[in-house]
Amino acid sequence: MKHRKLEESEISAIKAAISRYIGKKAEELDFNNFLVLRGKSKNVVHVSSQVMKSLKNHKDIYSAGIHIGDLEEISGKEKFLPSLEGITRVSKDIEKNYAVINEKGEGLFLYSRDVFDSSIIELKGDGKVAVFNENKELLGIGKYNGKLIKNIMDRGWYLRYGG
């Protein structure tokens, strides 16, 4: 895959997506060690400064860093779709569009199940929400529809698929 630094339009797309969860703090994010890996899609990764320096000597690479999301064209506009690790990197700053669920809901969610209102302790926002357990540990991303949180992605994926 070819790699390059992020363009300003891509940084804007990432900030717009992340601001859904962390608000204006998205403007303060540092994108110096982020790269786009181009293959069939645009993967956005974060690498260390050391790796960034060593990549100057390589044009094609298979993989590098922590995958934080993908840039995709949706309805003629480039959008950033954060990965679970991308949301985890900002999870301590999440102040909107989140849900805190109880222990029963946590078990369901980590097994790729949906969570009903009865398991929701706290909810702020709607639509796509970051899902936390009672200890404020990020469990994943869900979509709240007014009745339940539909599981979109969760940390249990790592165990189920060896990710």
Side-chain angles (χ1 to χ4, degrees), residues 54-121:
S54 70
L55 286 177
K56 291 178 183 176
N57 300 323
H58 304 281
K59 291 187 188 232
D60 287 325
I61 58 173
Y62 177 73
S63 181
I66 298 170
H67 178 245
I68 64 152
D70 298 303
L71 289 161
E72 291 185 11
E73 193 163 317
I74 300 172
S75 302
K77 191 173 182 183
E78 191 160 56
K79 302 247 181 178
F80 179 69
L81 305 171
S83 69
L84 191 53
E85 288 306 315
I87 293 294
T88 300
R89 293 183 60 82
V90 297
S91 66
K92 288 183 173 43
D93 293 322
I94 291 176
E95 56 189 33
K96 56 186 189 171
N97 294 308
Y98 70 88
V100 178
I101 60 177
N102 65 20
E103 190 174 347
K104 180 181 179 186
E106 178 180 1
L108 291 170
F109 195 80
L110 289 175
Y111 280 96
S112 196
R113 306 279 305 275
D114 300 336
V115 177
F116 291 97
D117 271 340
S118 60
S119 294
I120 300 172
I121 297 170

